[in-house]
Amino acid sequence: MPTQTGSAPAVSLQGHAATGRYIYRAKAPRSQPLEAEHAKLTHALAVHRQLLSHAASAIRTLTAARNELIAQALEDGLTLTTVSTVTGENLRALRTIGLAYDDLHPSGLPRNAHVAALKQKSAELRAAERHRDQITERREALMVMALRKQVCDDLELASLTGLTPDHVRRATRGSVRPA
């Protein structure tokens, strides 16, 4: 009977690491240019995710400020149609905004001051929404590029962008997909 001296050698079976954890081997390792492309796209998508977060935050802030201006203008006697013309909001939304601020008192500002403030805040809000839309379009272009170059799949793109895999598929519908 053979005797065993010392420790047993570490044996690595196909699919198992020496630590006993499973190693995913379904894909071949990426080549160096593909790794570099993956790193660039991953970084660009992370930057766009952060830019979208900042844009959404700015839009929320501007919307809150504009809504407060709307409520104050309504409290000071501006008509719904005047405010609707200046801001571009529909009458029902304006009524809802006006009713949400029930603790306002008349400020005594003239009509022209309210109209000018509403025009300025509405223009800032529209500019912020256009900026967000541009970032979203660039993000979708990056997703299409990643799929065409076969750098990322739908699930990886979903995790990088913070979207659901279904949203990624809808956003990249019509683009050339890898076989």
Side-chain angles (χ1 to χ4, degrees):
M1 185 142 281
T3 61
Q4 192 173 16
T5 59
S7 62
V11 177
S12 176
L13 301 174
Q14 179 69 23
H16 294 288
T19 59
R21 294 185 181 160
Y22 180 77
I23 298 174
Y24 183 69
R25 297 183 189 266
K27 291 184 181 178
R30 292 186 177 134
S31 64
Q32 289 292 25
L34 206 54
E35 276 293 327
E37 191 71 27
H38 182 267
K40 282 185 204 174
L41 282 169
T42 301
H43 177 70
L45 287 168
V47 167
H48 278 79
R49 186 175 182 177
Q50 186 175 18
L51 286 173
L52 276 172
S53 176
H54 289 300
S57 176
I59 288 171
R60 281 190 303 273
T61 302
L62 288 169
T63 300
R66 189 208 52 183
N67 288 352
E68 191 171 329
L69 288 173
I70 288 171
Q72 188 64 55
L74 293 174
E75 182 66 32
D76 286 348
L78 259 68
T79 63
L80 285 171
T81 54
T82 303
V83 175
S84 176
T85 304
V86 172
T87 61
E89 285 291 330
N90 62 37
L91 296 176
R92 184 174 183 194
L94 292 176
R95 280 189 202 103
T96 303
I97 292 168
L99 292 173
Y101 292 86
D102 57 353
D103 59 344
L104 293 177
H105 302 288
S107 68
L109 288 175
R111 179 183 190 279
N112 293 340
H114 284 296
V115 170
L118 285 170
K119 279 183 182 179
Q120 178 188 2
K121 199 56 74 176
S122 294
E124 290 174 13
L125 181 59
R126 283 190 295 274
E129 289 171 345
R130 282 192 304 272
H131 179 66
R132 180 197 57 202
D133 293 343
Q134 290 171 346
I135 295 169
T136 302
E137 288 173 10
R138 282 185 265 161
R139 179 188 65 188
E140 289 178 5
L142 285 170
M143 292 186 320
V144 168
M145 184 188 316
L147 288 173
R148 281 188 183 153
K149 292 183 177 186
Q150 299 180 3
V151 176
C152 300
D153 62 356
D154 292 345
L155 295 175
E156 187 175 8
L157 282 174
S159 73
L160 290 171
T161 58
L163 303 172
T164 63
D166 288 337
H167 188 103
V168 170
R169 286 186 201 101
R170 280 193 306 268
T172 58
R173 188 175 293 147
S175 66
V176 177
R177 298 234 176 212

